[in-house]
Amino acid sequence: MHPVEIQDLYKNFGSVEAVRGLSFSIDAGRVTGFLGPNGAGKSTTIRALLGLVNPTSGTALFGERRYDQVERPSSHIGVVLEDAGFHPGRTARNHLRVLAATGEHPPERVDEVLATVGLTEAADRHVKGYSMGMRQRLGIASALLGDPEVLILDEPTNGLDPPGIAWMRGLLRHQADAGRAVLVSSHLLAEVAQSVDDVVVIADGELRGAGTLGEVLGGDDGPVAAVAARDLGALAAALEQHGHDVVREDDRLLVPGSTPEQVGLVAAEEQLALTGLGTRSRSLEAAFLALTGDAQ
Amino acid sequence: MTALLRAELLKLRTTRTFVTLVGVAVGLSLLLVVLGAALANDLTEKDVRELLMFDFSGLFILLLGVIGMAGEFRHRTITTSILAAPDRIRLLGAKVLSYALAGALLALIVSVAIAAVGTAVLSIRGEVTIGVSEMADVLWRNLVVAALFGALGVCVGGLVRNQVVAIVGLLFLSFVLEPTLLALASEVGKFGPTVGAPNGVIVINPGDDSESLLAPGIALLVMIGWVGLGYAVTALVLRRRDLV
């Protein structure tokens, strides 16, 4: 049983299909990046998971329960939403006191989470005077209040400056290392790539890839040999015979996980003439764009 | 439910809106009562009872209920509230209850203040005053009406969601629509939620106005009915609404 499991989720808003048959799960002790361009359906999926929007069909569960079936949800699930609101006339401390009262958390947790996110000094200021970064930190503090096993964060780096983004990365890593399941959505791969273990890539409301970062985006798969030959078909057959994976790309072949030297040796052995040989290092960004390309 | 209620009461206490409205309601009510007590002559006991009913707590708690609930949408805190308490019906129930309690508290503060100050001014001037039991009669009516107004305000705020539209709409209903209806067709107007039925609860010994007022018990039931209807409709809408 996964901490979060989404099965065949659909959500329509009128004639707009925001999420189309999405299925994926996340695991404890890992940070899962939920990636996709703006409008891909990430926020809708997260809101369906949290019971804020009603799915058209399919299920979005925490273990075996919907969010609204989880007793004292803030003790199990911490949430930071992209547009989470705060009453401008309430202080951060009072905002957390209200949440602590609702979730029946001990009052001392308020000071603990304020310290965790570095807001102790500003705790008694009204939220209307907070910067975007401070609001994000307050959102994180709210999510951590119940010391939950699952953290769901929707675009948490939006509006953060580089030190803030670095802080957020460290926090996510720390939470996962402590055994929590962390799902973090972002439309910017670069902001989360350094801290995620797994990724779920969606575009146009559909799943485009799910697995470890390396599996889905290939960033850690090493070099990709790129080779051109007079007889591409013969070269492809020869490479496959020697146990290489081959992908045809326009007028050349890509051989993931192989060096040019390995490809050259096969060509020499089979006496096939090459017209070009090199490497194509496949960047994460390029792989991400390839997966989500038609939705960009 | 206790935790939810505690949280909602904490929300009320941790912004300036409630304190400000209490101050304004007490100030305005006191001003009118002091003026009435200082300037009027040869008052009867009925006049004094009417004077001590210049209690604006009902109107203010009605507006506070609207502001509190519609404000959850305005400040987008409704998602946070629902994430903390996913049972939307219970969340609405806790909010309704908390504003009903706040209404009763506000009415208690205002009623006691105007009774004390009004009686003091009247005594100094040698005018007639009313006894404690009659004051208690005025007090419970004000408390009940203010409590129901608090609950009704939350329902209206949850249904309309836009604070300005909800407040303007309620003021139009209270100061234009219902008084007009009472004047033109009192047999219908006396069932109104913000003037007709509340007057039936508040007015003691209506005299010549008895035709245009419901009996207190009936008026109370009608008010409870309005709140129940408001709660049911708002709960239905809130439960089905996608929060995007």
Side-chain angles (χ1 to χ4, degrees):
Chain A
M1 186 171 57
H2 300 282
V4 171
E5 183 139 16
I6 290 176
Q7 279 290 335
D8 209 21
L9 185 74
Y10 283 83
K11 177 60 188 177
N12 301 341
F13 293 107
S15 60
V16 178
E17 294 178 308
V19 179
R20 300 189 286 177
L22 196 58
S23 298
F24 70 88
S25 59
I26 72 169
D27 291 312
R30 298 181 75 78
V31 180
T32 302
F34 188 31
L35 307 174
N38 283 327
K42 304 183 299 294
S43 293
T44 302
T45 303
I46 286 178
R47 283 173 182 265
L49 176 65
L50 298 171
L52 296 173
V53 303
N54 301 304
T56 303
S57 65
T59 56
L61 303 175
F62 291 90
E64 293 175 330
R65 291 174 294 175
R66 290 195 319 264
Y67 186 86
D68 63 351
Q69 294 170 329
V70 177
E71 199 175 336
R72 293 175 62 224
S74 57
S75 296
H76 305 281
I77 304 150
V79 180
V80 180
L81 289 181
E82 186 184 6
D83 61 347
F86 305 101
H87 193 293
R90 194 170 281 133
T91 66
R93 187 188 304 283
N94 282 336
H95 169 78
L96 294 170
R97 284 176 64 210
V98 167
L99 293 180
T102 311
E104 299 177 65
H105 308 304
E108 53 269 25
R109 277 296 291 162
V110 170
D111 286 328
E112 288 172 17
V113 294
L114 281 167
T116 302
V117 302
L119 279 180
T120 303
E121 299 283 310
D124 295 313
R125 279 168 49 191
H126 287 143
V127 176
K128 65 184 167 196
Y130 273 27
S131 67
M132 177 68 87
M134 291 166 85
R135 284 168 187 253
Q136 290 285 37
R137 285 169 186 261
L138 180 55
I140 296 277
S142 309
L144 296 177
L145 201 56
D147 197 17
E149 307 99 60
V150 179
L151 275 174
I152 310 284
L153 305 97
D154 189 14
E155 303 274 2
T157 53
N158 268 4
L160 289 185
D161 53 13
I165 293 170
W167 173 81
M168 182 70 74
R169 282 190 195 125
L171 183 94
L172 298 181
R173 190 69 264 157
H174 175 73
Q175 297 299 323
D177 291 345
R180 297 183 174 94
V182 181
L183 178 69
V184 53
S185 85
S186 180
H187 65 283
L188 296 171
L189 173 67
E191 286 186 357
V192 294
Q194 292 174 38
S195 54
V196 299
D197 303 300
D198 302 320
V199 290
V200 174
V201 181
I202 70 167
D204 282 336
E206 291 179 324
L207 185 70
R208 298 293 173 93
T212 65
L213 188 66
E215 285 168 357
V216 178
L217 297 175
D220 298 331
D221 287 350
V224 178
V227 59
R230 286 200 181 141
D231 188 347
L232 271 182
L235 180 60
L239 285 166
E240 281 169 351
Q241 248 180 3
H242 283 79
H244 297 278
D245 291 328
V246 178
V247 179
R248 179 91 183 237
E249 186 187 82
D250 300 326
D251 57 352
R252 65 179 183 169
L253 301 176
L254 298 178
V255 193
S258 301
T259 61
E261 186 186 3
Q262 290 170 311
V263 172
L265 285 172
V266 171
E269 198 176 307
E270 300 293 332
Q271 297 189 330
L272 294 166
L274 302 183
T275 55
L277 181 61
T279 56
R280 201 201 74 172
S281 138
R282 194 170 178 234
S283 74
L284 284 178
E285 207 66 49
F288 178 63
L289 289 172
L291 276 176
T292 62
D294 55 344
Q296 296 282 327
Chain B
M1 193 65 173
T2 314
L4 267 180
L5 186 59
R6 196 181 310 128
E8 288 300 329
L9 289 171
L10 191 56
K11 276 186 195 174
L12 258 172
R13 283 174 14 227
T14 50
T15 64
R16 290 182 185 147
T17 315
F18 183 60
V19 176
T20 305
L21 281 183
V22 169
V24 174
V26 171
L28 197 58
S29 301
L30 274 179
L31 178 69
L32 291 173
V33 168
V34 167
L35 282 175
L39 300 176
N41 293 313
D42 303 325
L43 292 168
T44 64
E45 281 196 11
K46 182 172 184 285
D47 295 331
V48 174
R49 269 199 302 271
E50 284 177 4
L51 182 67
L52 297 186
M53 287 191 313
F54 275 122
D55 177 346
F56 284 87
S57 53
L59 174 67
F60 279 95
I61 195 64
L62 182 66
L63 299 183
L64 187 66
V66 170
I67 291 169
M69 187 65 195
E72 292 263 17
F73 291 95
R74 181 186 169 199
H75 301 301
R76 300 193 315 277
T77 51
I78 187 70
T79 44
T80 310
S81 297
I82 289 178
L83 285 173
D87 187 335
R88 300 179 186 194
I89 310 299
R90 285 183 68 213
L91 177 67
L92 181 65
K95 205 171 260 299
V96 162
L97 205 53
S98 66
Y99 278 80
L101 288 172
L105 176 68
L106 178 60
L108 181 68
I109 294 169
V110 172
S111 296
V112 168
I114 61 178
V117 174
T119 304
V121 174
L122 290 170
S123 301
I124 291 166
R125 293 188 59 222
E127 291 285 343
V128 68
T129 57
I130 58 172
V132 174
S133 65
E134 285 173 290
M135 280 187 195
D137 197 20
V138 172
L139 182 65
W140 81 259
R141 291 164 193 261
N142 284 343
L143 253 63
V144 167
V145 168
L148 290 169
F149 269 161
L152 189 64
V154 169
C155 298
V156 172
L159 203 55
V160 180
R161 291 192 294 163
N162 182 306
Q163 284 181 331
V164 176
V165 172
I167 289 171
V168 170
L170 273 178
L171 291 177
F172 181 75
L173 181 69
S174 303
F175 290 102
V176 180
L177 205 57
E178 277 202 60
T180 306
L181 196 60
L182 268 171
L184 298 178
S186 63
E187 65 278 11
V188 178
K190 63 187 176 186
F191 290 93
T194 63
V195 179
N199 277 353
V201 179
I202 289 171
V203 176
I204 306 166
N205 300 329
D208 296 340
D209 294 332
S210 58
E211 287 293 306
S212 61
L213 289 174
L214 294 170
I218 304 293
L220 193 57
L221 288 175
V222 170
M223 280 198 79
I224 291 170
W226 279 113
V227 172
L229 179 68
Y231 179 79
V233 175
T234 307
L236 191 69
V237 172
L238 187 64
R239 196 170 139 194
R240 296 163 63 103
R241 181 169 281 154
D242 281 339
L243 295 165
V244 290

